[in-house]
Amino acid sequence: MTSTWTIEERSFRLKDAKSYEGLFTLGSGNLHVRGSLEEHLDGCPQDVIVPPGDTERHVEHTVKWGAYVPGIYGRHPLLRRQIVNLPFFLDLAPHAGDEKLDMQSSTVKRYRRALDMRTATLTRSLEWRTKTGAVIAVRFERFVSAARPALCVQRLTLTSDRAVDVRVLGGIDARVTTLNADLFSSVTPGRAGHGGVTCAVRTNLGDDVFMQTSLDAPGAALKHTAAGRCARAEARLRLAPGVPAVVEKRTAVTTSRDQAPASPARVLADAAELSYDDLHAEHAAVWAGRWSDADVVIEGDAWSQRSLRASLYHLMRSLPRGDNRVAICAKGYAGELYQGLFFWDTEMFMLPFFLYTQPAAARALVDFRVQSLPGAQRTAARYKYAGARYAWTSDDKGDECCGPWVFKDHQVHVTADVAYALAHYARATGDQRYLEGPAARVLVETARYWMSRMDTRSGDKRPHLLGVMGPDEFTPMTSNNSYTNRLVRFALELAARHGAAAGAAAAERRAWARTAPALPIPRSADGGLVLQCEEFDGMAEMDINAEWKNRSIMFCWQVPQERMFRSKCMKQADVIMLMTLFPGEFTRAEKLRAWKHYLPYTTHDSSLSFGTHCIMAAHLGLEDEAWEFWRKAAGLDLEVKRRAPAEGIHIAAAGNAWQAAVLGFAGVATAMQSDVLSLTPRLPAGWKRLAFPLVWKGTPVSIEIARRRVSVTNRGRTSLKARICGRLRTIAPGATAAQAL
Amino acid sequence: MTSTWTIEERSFRLKDAKSYEGLFTLGSGNLHVRGSLEEHLDGCPQDVIVPPGDTERHVEHTVKWGAYVPGIYGRHPLLRRQIVNLPFFLDLAPHAGDEKLDMQSSTVKRYRRALDMRTATLTRSLEWRTKTGAVIAVRFERFVSAARPALCVQRLTLTSDRAVDVRVLGGIDARVTTLNADLFSSVTPGRAGHGGVTCAVRTNLGDDVFMQTSLDAPGAALKHTAAGRCARAEARLRLAPGVPAVVEKRTAVTTSRDQAPASPARVLADAAELSYDDLHAEHAAVWAGRWSDADVVIEGDAWSQRSLRASLYHLMRSLPRGDNRVAICAKGYAGELYQGLFFWDTEMFMLPFFLYTQPAAARALVDFRVQSLPGAQRTAARYKYAGARYAWTSDDKGDECCGPWVFKDHQVHVTADVAYALAHYARATGDQRYLEGPAARVLVETARYWMSRMDTRSGDKRPHLLGVMGPDEFTPMTSNNSYTNRLVRFALELAARHGAAAGAAAAERRAWARTAPALPIPRSADGGLVLQCEEFDGMAEMDINAEWKNRSIMFCWQVPQERMFRSKCMKQADVIMLMTLFPGEFTRAEKLRAWKHYLPYTTHDSSLSFGTHCIMAAHLGLEDEAWEFWRKAAGLDLEVKRRAPAEGIHIAAAGNAWQAAVLGFAGVATAMQSDVLSLTPRLPAGWKRLAFPLVWKGTPVSIEIARRRVSVTNRGRTSLKARICGRLRTIAPGATAAQAL
């Protein structure tokens, strides 16, 4: 049985190749590279260019290289700022005589590719029967060093059953484009000392990326060339029967935006004395620490265990550590869709995982919004509003890069989500000074935006937020979206409380405090149903089941937007999301009514929907529903055959899966919901044990939930209060409080 | 004093040049050419190409050539079907030695350019003092022959005060682009026999356009060359002191889509025996007939007289006569904006003028929708609806070419407007069989669309039209827009009445008849205010005057769309338009209330707004307001300094101006509103007399309105009933019924 630490591919299928490339992405936070085949596939050019006017031309890539450094952007002709797909540096292609190893045309047996999530290492092994009859055992290994975030290390081991002359070609290949456009203004391949090759590219926005790679094989003849957009290295060696031959490739990638500038040659030189195994050991040690901080153990359900680890693996891989100039992009730096840019995903879906497992690392994510405040101010001004309005699709400068106006203009809740996240950071870490320090200006400026964004109506003095798209993107322009309004209430109250620190006068703060509760949270006439927005119940009735017959294709691809926009159909949790964030403000009856009312209209076209529904179902004790949504939330990117990870990782859904396990099944209340650590577990029937670490306001805690017993261990130095299944306990340092279920 | 038949330019100003190009457009319905200078201006290239991705690059053309043949389309990289700007064939550039006449650098006096609308002839005269001291009187004349719609005729007369050698360069210049893109797949300049030059272009959609031009000057030496994208002709002649020398240029343009294919050589040959004056005489005779059918005489107000004639001139010029494969495009074939395609403008704003003045010519406009029904069926199917849905921006095939989804998807009323227009044609001409002949299938198919487009709401059995943009384009997605719903009611009732002719079963027709009155026309709680849509009064309050300080810039350029879309601001008449179409269905109090309610929110950013407001104000007896809106409606495209006609003619507004005069001030009820000719004049204070012809159900009528007397003369062969100021009269053929006012 495969370890629950491993994601495995047992046979190579061309149509799954692109999905595995996404799923097998490796990364150090600083440098990310998709899980492409070292020897590539013939006939799959990666430098396709589609002129912007050529709207009829659709390019379906069989495989898609992807190498990304967060913060390295170019200008795409159809978009604004776009993360750049950097030159491909993984190539390591064995040739026996004139025959190249090729997954399509070669005779290959015993294929296995596996991502070891514990050590963030990708390996591939296969048996290659060459045309001359030799049987060569081939093993590839690679990792992007967590200890040296600019370094990627690869090893190829070849063992032949007879003597064979082989050539292994590696190097750097800049024949790549980003979303079918060339974003480089210059490409300079070259040769380095000691047999290395280099490639420098400048993006069309002026950033420089420097790459250097070295190919090394004991006893091999090395050759290096640079031509066109390629720098090539070649190792020629003779395999002796039964004797493993090893080729190692190391690539360093540095950029003009690095905080500690270094040449790639320096990065390689620093590692020169260390063997592959040495480098791997220091890399694995970093990952061991991460898993120790964050792993969620699920016993009795290998599928859930592996799936959730895949989510945590990608979350921890994606985080640009120690760099608050960027956050985690929507595809987790495993693809170039969504421009490699930043959405509310970070605040509402990814941040909690980091906050409660690696709070120091989480700080960069909230600081990202603080440092990009000027961009949010520019965005507000562009719309003629006061203050700061965070962009729906934010670049690293905080400027709006969203194309379609309907999202850009109307999906305004992100600005309140940012305030919520700043408060969440402060409460979860216990660092309340944060809100009166760096974050205060964000609170003040966003409150000013909200005040200028509100409207009045004829014959009505109350404030209203009109022309709003809530989280549900199928209802584009509505009045008083309850999710948005509740978050804005929160943001105004927060700014009223802490805004003095950024110079907001008392009168202004009083206005915020007065306005917040006046913002309507619309309800049905009988008061029992929280309305998504004022219009929702007057929208066109729609029988989702009748309209959505082919469930293998998303709802939104089957029903024209024109119809969706006026109909009762929802892309994702909206009122349900509101209720999971503010569970104490709604009765169980209200939650159940909202659940029953909205679920038949919800298509979950958004990957952000499943996890939130899982949390609410667990909370309501709807066991079957919770389980059903868990399966969809947790397994999303492992759906290789459905091509789910082909364009990258649904990284917000990954964060949501962690929330489903910890906030849903373990029933942990967030620091926004409870001052003391509080949990009320509701394990799925098949789970024997759920165990995970948390950091609660600075105190590390271990939580163990078995079928009949829950225990909380205080691993910190001060005593901890915890409410376990409603019972308040005080736990001394080192002690465990247990309780029967 | 300048004749009210003439639009005059008294001095050349560079910044007005592009506006005059639009305003001075000549055309035969088949061939249209903007009023560009024969000798062009240096430094104003017309072949600028902006690559589609280059969104930052803005090209402001000082002057803009434009030659268009309705139905000749290309594929623009950023759009779908786009009318093609054809090669420039007007050039006729006098040179004295090496000096070229140039409006910027030459010494020019006594400049005058004038469009004689009566004969559709453009002349320009000036005195050119050359650098060598000669004073040359230059006179250009041109017309596009109404008698030979493929022929443009030009004449240049030069009279020098001393002997000068001059060269005159003419030809065909294909160095042109359309909206900064090259839509030609091939350009072939050449030389023809008898000293002519030719240019054949193929559009990138495969249409061929053949051009041939001949330059002729008695006693001149002629030279012809073809190179690159130019075919050039040159005439060298010696001017004797005081003796006028004449250069004539004739250009024929034929295309692969002509209904009666002919080569341009044939067109030229057919006219070869005729002098310029002969050709002009036959051309002027056609125009004399048109004016006799349609001229509206306004005495006592030269400004109004000239302005209205400018509207009628462009309407009559724009109509592609006898060709129902195209209609009148949004810029009246005087520019390439709006893609040279077709909107509701035709049905609701232009058609009435033709219906009541040249009903036979009007037939092509309604037939256009009948013949393009298959495109409307494709459009419905694309949205997954039954029947036929006319495109918001229709090409000649009836397919949707609108880019922005918000208009394309939601502004559905055009489909009902088409049904209204078909009925209008039938009622105005008395040709009731039309609706049970060619038009029946349109009625049936559009009714089917409407039935499938309607929704129900929870707890409500009534049909609703949701997600609708009415005529007011500032409220994008609303429920039960009253204009739309009323028109749809009309369309359903019409289909119920006539649909059997196209095979609609009785049950289906009964369903239409039952559904029509159930469609809501929303009203305020007290019933007295017709609501634009259900949402309008809940939209954000907006003080238009406070927001719109700089009235020289349109409102929509000063307030972000994001705000407009949720606010009480209106681009144009919506409820008011409804009430002018169905005046008998609303009380005077309801009309006044709607007027007072909506006007403060109306910015009239749409040129379609003024005329409709003028009609309603006249109808309500709001004299000052009627006059104010008349000034804006009638004078729009004469606002050269505001650049109004720079990109083409507001041709729907031109049609609306005619309606303002005839339906507004003369108070004529349309055949949709009254079975008998009915009029209730309300002349503006300054007008002494308003006189115009009409054709009422086949009977030609002359109407004369003086300050104290109105008379109707029956110019037909059967007796006519007419209701004059409420009094029903029967008028014998040849007789006049007069009534004191």
Side-chain angles (χ1 to χ4, degrees), chain A residues 499-534:
Chain A
E508 190 174 23
R509 286 181 282 122
R510 274 197 303 274
W512 297 339
R514 203 166 49 233
T515 302
L519 256 186
I521 308 291
R523 284 175 177 256
S524 60
D526 66 10
L529 179 67
V530 175
L531 299 179
Q532 177 174 327
C533 56
E534 292 175 356

Side-chain angles (χ1 to χ4, degrees), chain B residues 80-409:
Chain B
R80 282 171 56 106
R81 240 164 140 79
Q82 165 67 48
I83 200 163
V84 177
N85 178 20
L86 299 175
F88 185 68
F89 56 80
L90 291 177
D91 59 324
L92 199 58
H95 292 64
D98 286 337
E99 185 187 357
K100 180 194 160 210
L101 170 65
D102 185 293
M103 291 307 301
Q104 284 185 275
S105 55
S106 300
T107 305
V108 165
K109 290 190 177 170
R110 299 182 202 281
Y111 178 90
R112 178 179 186 264
R113 186 154 59 146
L115 173 66
D116 176 18
M117 297 185 281
R118 193 197 295 257
T119 64
T121 306
L122 185 65
T123 58
R124 178 164 56 126
S125 54
L126 54 93
E127 207 177 85
W128 174 23
R129 184 172 297 263
T130 69
K131 283 174 186 154
T132 58
V135 176
I136 306 178
V138 180
R139 179 176 170 82
F140 293 100
E141 296 159 281
R142 74 168 87 134
F143 61 92
V144 177
S145 174
R148 298 166 193 264
L151 184 67
C152 176
V153 185
Q154 294 170 267
R155 179 161 71 179
L156 166 63
T157 309
L158 301 169
T159 315
S160 176
D161 67 343
R162 65 197 69 177
V164 191
D165 286 322
V166 297
R167 288 180 303 140
V168 176
L169 270 62
I172 305 172
D173 189 340
R175 292 173 302 172
V176 298
T177 51
T178 306
L179 292 179
N180 303 318
D182 181 5
L183 308 191
F184 300 141
S185 63
S186 70
V187 175
T188 314
R191 297 174 56 177
H194 309 292
V197 295
T198 62
C199 186
V201 295
R202 175 164 289 181
T203 75
N204 58 13
L205 286 175
D207 280 326
D208 288 307
V209 179
F210 313 102
M211 299 178 138
Q212 182 165 338
T213 199
S214 66
L215 202 63
D216 196 21
L222 299 174
K223 204 175 93 181
H224 303 86
T225 54
R229 287 169 69 125
C230 296
R232 295 181 189 282
E234 182 181 318
R236 289 172 179 269
L237 58 165
R238 183 164 182 84
L239 303 184
V243 180
V246 173
V247 180
E248 218 183 286
K249 183 180 180 185
R250 297 182 181 182
T251 305
V253 180
T254 65
T255 77
S256 54
R257 73 177 286 289
D258 289 351
Q259 291 175 309
S263 69
R266 177 81 258 153
V267 174
L268 292 176
D270 285 349
E273 299 299 308
L274 300 174
S275 70
Y276 179 94
D277 291 330
D278 294 339
L279 289 169
H280 190 262
E282 64 174 22
H283 161 73
V286 175
W287 273 93
R290 291 179 186 167
W291 285 113
S292 156
D293 289 340
D295 187 33
V296 177
V297 174
I298 299 170
E299 281 183 16
D301 177 2
W303 181 92
S304 292
Q305 177 67 81
R306 184 182 299 109
S307 300
L308 185 55
R309 282 194 175 132
S311 290
L312 306 193
Y313 162 75
H314 280 296
L315 283 164
M316 293 192 286
R317 170 189 63 74
S318 301
L319 182 71
R321 288 168 196 267
D323 186 352
N324 68 18
R325 299 169 303 166
V326 286
I328 302 178
C329 76
K331 283 293 182 187
Y333 299 114
E336 54 219 52
L337 273 192
Y338 297 103
Q339 303 167 252
L341 296 177
F342 315 112
F343 295 76
W344 70 312
D345 304 30
T346 312
E347 281 71 30
M348 303 313 282
F349 295 95
M350 296 181 246
L351 179 68
F353 164 71
F354 293 106
L355 269 186
Y356 295 105
T357 60
Q358 297 153 81
R363 170 71 182 254
L365 291 178
V366 278
D367 280 349
F368 169 71
R369 296 297 193 173
V370 173
Q371 65 84 32
S372 62
L373 177 65
Q377 289 169 316
R378 285 191 292 275
T379 304
R382 211 166 294 124
Y383 282 103
K384 303 198 176 187
Y385 292 116
R389 177 199 199 276
Y390 281 88
W392 178 244
T393 307
S394 175
D395 68 12
D396 49 329
K397 310 292 184 195
D399 286 302
E400 179 66 83
C401 295
C402 179
W405 61 262
V406 75
F407 306 112
K408 174 170 67 180
D409 286 359

Side-chain angles (χ1 to χ4, degrees), chain A residues 52-56 75 77-78 382-385 389 405-406 409-410 412 449 452-459 465-467 476-477 479 535 537-541 557-563 565-568 601, chain B residues 52-56 75 77-78 382-385 389 405-406 409-410 412 449 452-459 465-467 476-477 479 535 537-541 557-563 565-568 601:
Chain A
D54 196 354
T55 49
E56 305 267 292
R75 185 189 166 80
L78 292 177
R382 211 165 296 125
Y383 282 102
K384 304 198 174 185
Y385 293 116
R389 177 199 198 276
W405 60 263
V406 75
D409 285 359
H410 299 286
V412 291
Y449 162 69
S452 72
R453 176 61 175 75
M454 286 174 204
D455 289 302
T456 55
R457 285 166 159 171
S458 107
L465 276 172
L466 308 177
M477 270 175 262
S479 307
E535 291 85 356
D537 261 23
M539 295 179 82
E541 279 298 324
W557 297 118
Q558 292 184 52
V559 175
Q561 172 187 291
E562 177 259 356
R563 180 138 177 250
F565 273 5
R566 69 168 185 273
S567 301
K568 277 188 181 170
Y601 300 120
Chain B
D54 195 355
T55 50
E56 306 266 293
R75 185 189 167 80
L78 292 176
R382 211 166 294 124
Y383 282 103
K384 303 198 176 187
Y385 292 116
R389 177 199 199 276
W405 61 262
V406 75
D409 286 359
H410 299 286
V412 292
Y449 162 69
S452 73
R453 176 63 175 73
M454 287 174 204
D455 289 301
T456 56
R457 284 166 159 171
S458 104
L465 276 172
L466 309 178
M477 271 174 262
S479 308
E535 291 85 355
D537 261 24
M539 295 179 82
E541 279 298 325
W557 298 118
Q558 292 184 51
V559 174
Q561 172 187 291
E562 177 259 355
R563 178 137 179 251
F565 273 4
R566 69 168 185 273
S567 301
K568 277 187 182 170
Y601 299 121

Side-chain angles (χ1 to χ4, degrees), chain B residues 505-521:
Chain B
E508 190 175 22
R509 284 180 282 124
R510 274 197 303 271
W512 297 339
R514 205 167 46 233
T515 301
L519 257 186
I521 308 292

